Amino acid sequence: MSPSIDSSFRPPTEAWHPVSPKLTTARRLVLSITLLPLTVIGAVVLVVAGLPIWALVAVVAALVIFVWAWWLIGRRVRSFGYVERQDDLLVTSGILFRRLVIVPYGRMQLVDLVAGPIDRSFGLASVQLHTAAATTDAKIPGLPPDVAAGLRDRLAAQGEHRSAGL
Amino acid sequence: MTLSPGAAPSAGGATQPQHVHPLTPWVHAMQAAPVLLIAVVVPLGNAGEFGAWIILVALVAVLLLVALIAGLAYLSWTRLTYWFDGQGDFRIDSGIVTRRERRLQLSRLQGVDVVQPLFARLVGMAALTIEVAGAGDSRASLQYLKYEQAQALRSEVLARAAGLTHDAGEAPEEPLVLVPPRDLAVSLLLRGTTVFLFLLTIALVILLSVTAGWAGLFMILTAGVPIIIVFTEFTQFFNFTVAKSPDGLRTKAGLFQVTAQTIPPGRVQAVEFVQSWLWRRRGWVRVRINVAGLSTTDDNGQNQSQMSTVLLPVAPYPVARQIVNYVLPDMDLLDIEMKAAPPRAHRRAWIQFRNLSVGWNDRVFVTERGKYVNRIAVVPHARTQSVRVTQGPWERSLGLASMHVDSPPGPVTVVALYREVAEAQRLAQEQNDRAQAALRADPSTHWMTQTGAGDSDEQSVADFAPPTGLPSEGPPPPVEQEGRPAAPSSNDGTPAGQSPPAPDDLRDS
């Protein structure tokens, strides 16, 4: 049953835009600079506390998690996709937890363009749509700044054009 | 009725800045006095040989504190003014040190409450709370006005928000239903959490009495938790009445603090019928609503925000449906065909899988879930913010997915749990199409000036119970519901298409 499920959150009838592969590098960097120092600190503490075997176990576990997360990041970034249709925006993502969000342009209340320091150093930005519902989860990370700005402007124009209040 | 001098005399245009009632500082001070007295005197109750003196000093201190509060309240009273500006918005200027000018855009009005805390009620005062759509601090409270003045100002605000430029006066009010205090008390006692906590208390008392002797009886104190919960809700929803008027549906309730709330038509984003397990044989439901701006995380007092999201604390299902018909007109819940979740959903949801269903008509989308707490959520297509399909690892292994309809923050969650993946995708696409179509046909926010002058016309009043109260016996318990927990017989092999068990909650009686 896997092929049909895989395409079900990404209907092939739409022309999906991917996000930049540089997002993979950026997220793997974040993973490395958080998990590896933590592992080293944890191992040192355990060794000092006289538990070298537990330190070994912790390091092995951390490495397994590291490799798994490293691999998952690649798949997860490739799973992101968005389509600007005539009346709405489609956003899909996720490997373990999949989602497909459909946001009508007329429901958008504001569009955020965000770029953190790591994103900026890789030349990335993310666009997030907000509706009156807090549960609308339509964030598109890992866009080149000019693409993100263009998308933001088009979405804002569409939203203004069709705004329907609540 | 004529507006009292405090409210705007020339409706429609701008008005002069007004002060709230001059007795306001005194009301604030008197409200604080009992708390201060208890806080200061109780710890000194066993103060030894200086007892009398210390208590006297404490009383003087309390008096000084009360005077200080009154003085500060007087200062803020002199600085607090309100008026309607030339653009038809409501303005409030306030603040002693930090000046604050607020402008409430009445075209985004979500609700108006008249709140009477106990002491204010004794002296005939009330606070007016105005809620507009928007994140965060979108609520303003005017404390205090004379009760009649607060009511006049409420109708003024509602009339202006509805786009009426002339003085409409107080809109006539027609009572629809009164929840009898006895039914309210019984319903609160029969709630799952109450019963569970009581049973837990009994079990703990027995267990510890056996193991620890008489000391185990101290565990009876845990019974205080459910008692406090029941008592709080009982005082909050005491004498709950729902009335209809051209400017919206009005609710009013409270034993000590009376809160009257007006919900303009078209502001309700989603509705939920909640039925506790033990309410089923009486056919009772509670009705909760999502209204933009009345977020449950509101920091402005738990009472008010909970009040705002409960449309009916308890009522027989047909009565509840009638009331909901006033906030979501013409939705014909009974005619909606509910489609059950596929049989293999029971591998994901062992308990509630028979209660998972979804349905729609040309106006609303309906989902049902939960066995012990059954929830039927209704969202109009025109209020659909966005739609989502989600799938976790467990659902994925079973080829299931869930479809969500996003609604503004509130107690109601609209989700069709555990459908076939292809069906969930189809549900989302179709709901999106329906929402887009409804969006294009969406009426404006000025509801009173539309044809039909509000949604509450005569047609459904005739068959509705007069304000004498709920029919106390309620509808006879439907057989399927009683049989459902015990008899899993016929439904197991039913194909997913036609709904076996779920919709009888919508269809019964």
Side-chain angles (χ1 to χ4, degrees):
Chain A
M1 63 172 76
S2 50
S4 68
I5 291 177
D6 283 343
S7 64
S8 65
F9 280 76
R10 207 184 171 94
T13 49
E14 311 288 349
W16 292 95
H17 294 283
V19 303
S20 166
K22 280 189 285 185
L23 183 64
T24 313
T25 322
R27 291 198 166 177
R28 282 177 178 163
L29 178 70
V30 172
L31 173 73
S32 310
I33 61 179
T34 50
L35 189 61
L36 293 183
L38 276 177
T39 310
V40 171
I41 292 170
V44 168
V45 167
L46 283 171
V47 167
V48 169
L51 299 165
I53 294 172
W54 286 107
L56 191 67
V57 170
V59 167
V60 169
L63 281 180
V64 169
I65 291 172
F66 183 79
V67 170
W68 179 69
W70 184 276
W71 171 77
L72 195 65
I73 285 171
R75 293 193 58 196
R76 194 168 142 69
V77 166
R78 280 197 300 279
S79 78
F80 272 102
Y82 66 94
V83 187
E84 295 168 71
R85 295 201 301 193
Q86 195 188 344
D87 296 314
D88 43 38
L89 180 83
L90 264 58
V91 184
T92 184
S93 73
I95 295 297
L96 289 178
F97 293 88
R98 287 151 187 265
R99 70 182 172 124
L100 170 69
V101 190
I102 309 177
V103 188
Y105 294 135
R107 289 300 182 200
M108 290 187 313
Q109 293 205 322
L110 58 110
V111 185
D112 271 347
L113 180 63
V114 187
I118 291 178
D119 277 359
R120 274 204 307 276
S121 68
F122 281 88
L124 296 173
S126 59
V127 170
Q128 182 158 19
L129 265 66
H130 297 273
T131 69
T135 47
T136 301
D137 180 19
K139 186 178 182 184
I140 312 170
L143 298 172
D146 52 329
V147 175
L151 179 63
R152 191 254 328 258
D153 293 344
R154 282 195 304 280
L155 292 175
Q158 289 277 17
E160 194 158 315
H161 184 53
R162 295 158 202 255
S163 176
L166 287 169
Chain B
M1 74 179 282
T2 53
L3 298 175
S4 43
S10 62
T15 63
Q16 290 302 309
Q18 306 277 340
H19 285 292
V20 294
H21 198 278
L23 283 181
T24 298
W26 193 68
V27 176
H28 278 296
M30 290 317 285
Q31 274 176 339
V35 181
L36 287 175
L37 263 181
I38 291 169
V40 173
V41 173
V42 166
L44 295 175
N46 44 8
E49 65 262 45
F50 302 111
W53 279 107
I54 285 184
I55 286 175
L56 196 64
V57 169
L59 283 178
V60 170
V62 166
L63 278 179
L64 284 177
L65 275 175
V66 167
L68 184 70
I69 289 171
L72 286 175
Y74 174 75
L75 270 184
S76 63
W77 176 81
T78 60
R79 296 300 184 86
L80 179 83
T81 53
Y82 64 94
W83 71 97
F84 293 95
D85 68 9
Q87 282 82 48
D89 291 336
F90 192 70
R91 305 280 293 260
I92 299 176
D93 277 12
S94 62
I96 306 172
V97 180
T98 310
R99 298 285 292 161
R100 187 173 187 198
E101 295 191 22
R102 306 195 69 186
R103 175 176 181 158
L104 301 173
Q105 201 184 333
L106 291 187
S107 61
R108 295 172 66 82
L109 181 77
Q110 298 296 315
V112 189
D113 299 358
V114 174
V115 187
Q116 287 190 283
L118 182 59
F119 187 77
R121 191 173 151 206
L122 292 179
V123 294
M125 303 283 224
L128 188 78
T129 306
I130 300 174
E131 180 86 45
V132 295
D137 196 3
S138 56
R139 162 195 286 257
S141 184
L142 277 182
Q143 292 169 347
Y144 287 93
L145 303 165
K146 272 162 81 178
Y147 183 61
E148 299 77 26
Q149 202 180 344
Q151 280 196 314
L153 190 56
R154 173 180 69 181
S155 15
E156 170 97 18
V157 165
L158 283 163
R160 284 172 182 261
L164 295 183
T165 48
H166 60 280
D167 181 3
E170 177 84 9
E173 188 174 299
E174 183 185 336
L176 294 176
V177 69
L178 164 76
V179 178
R182 187 178 151 275
D183 285 10
L184 178 63
V186 172
S187 77
L188 292 173
L189 290 173
L190 285 182
R191 261 210 315 217
T193 44
T194 316
V195 172
F196 172 76
L197 285 171
F198 269 120
L199 291 179
L200 185 72
T201 304
I202 291 170
L204 282 176
V205 167
I206 291 174
L207 188 73
L208 287 171
S209 300
V210 170
T211 55
W214 288 107
L217 283 181
F218 279 109
M219 289 313 294
I220 210 153
L221 289 177
T222 56
V225 177
I227 288 171
I228 288 169
I229 295 173
V230 166
F231 181 75
T232 310
E233 288 213 8
F234 182 76
T235 57
Q236 189 185 350
F237 297 131
F238 183 78
N239 267 352
F240 199 100
T241 54
V242 183
K244 88 181 171 77
S245 77
D247 54 17
L249 208 60
R250 292 184 182 167
T251 63
K252 187 175 178 180
L255 183 58
F256 303 124
Q257 163 167 316
V258 177
T259 303
Q261 191 185 19
T262 306
I263 307 157
R267 293 307 201 260
V268 172
Q269 303 278 334
V271 173
E272 181 180 60
F273 299 93
V274 191
Q275 186 173 53
S276 273
W277 193 41
L278 292 167
W279 292 11
R280 196 163 285 173
R281 81 177 290 134
R282 294 164 188 263
W284 281 347
V285 289
R286 170 173 286 201
V287 181
R288 303 201 295 175
I289 53 176
N290 278 3
V291 175
L294 301 182
S295 145
T296 45
T297 54
D298 198 298
D299 51 34
N300 226 330
Q302 185 201 358
N303 281 355
Q304 286 181 17
S305 64
Q306 166 136 38
M307 172 86 192
S308 307
T309 58
V310 173
L311 185 60
L312 253 185
V314 61
Y317 190 63
V319 176
R321 222 167 35 223
Q322 289 272 19
I323 295 295
V324 168
N325 248 320
Y326 287 101
V327 291
L328 300 180
D330 313 322
M331 50 169 205
D332 299 325
L333 273 185
L334 293 182
D335 296 335
I336 295 178
E337 179 192 334
M338 300 295 286
K339 295 173 172 55
R344 71 173 180 277
H346 83 94
R347 287 159 66 186
R348 175 65 183 80
W350 297 300
I351 294 168
Q352 59 170 342
F353 75 96
R354 280 181 224 287
N355 299 78
L356 298 174
S357 63
V358 60
W360 61 88
N361 62 11
D362 56 350
R363 291 194 47 98
V364 294
F365 187 79
V366 182
T367 64
E368 190 204 354
R369 68 198 159 98
K371 174 170 182 168
Y372 295 112
V373 181
N374 186 262
R375 298 164 192 276
I376 296 170
V378 183
V379 61
H381 301 323
R383 299 286 174 264
T384 299
Q385 296 293 330
S386 61
V387 294
R388 268 180 305 146
V389 183
T390 61
Q391 185 187 49
W394 191 358
E395 287 168 271
R396 191 179 172 207
S397 69
L398 296 167
L400 299 172
S402 297
M403 178 266 188
H404 308 249
V405 175
D406 294 317
S407 175
V412 185
T413 305
V414 188
V415 54
L417 287 170
Y418 316 134
R419 318 298 299 190
E420 307 264 1
V421 174
E423 189 200 1
Q425 300 288 356
R426 205 180 60 243
L427 281 175
Q429 291 289 350
E430 290 174 359
Q431 180 58 22
N432 181 49
D433 293 344
R434 285 188 291 265
Q436 303 257 11
L439 195 60
R440 283 188 284 271
D442 200 30
S444 79
T445 50
H446 283 182
W447 65 87
M448 267 185 179
T449 50
Q450 288 160 32
T451 54
D455 61 306
S456 40
D457 31 44
E458 280 71 35
Q459 41 98 18
S460 42
V461 183
D463 54 356
F464 193 74
T468 49
L470 302 177
S472 55
E473 65 279 344
V479 180
E480 310 91 284
Q481 289 188 344
E482 286 303 293
R484 191 191 295 165
S489 58
S490 66
N491 299 323
D492 271 342
T494 323
Q498 292 304 308
S499 57
D504 55 12
D505 286 76
L506 284 174
R507 295 241 171 93
D508 65 30
S509 66

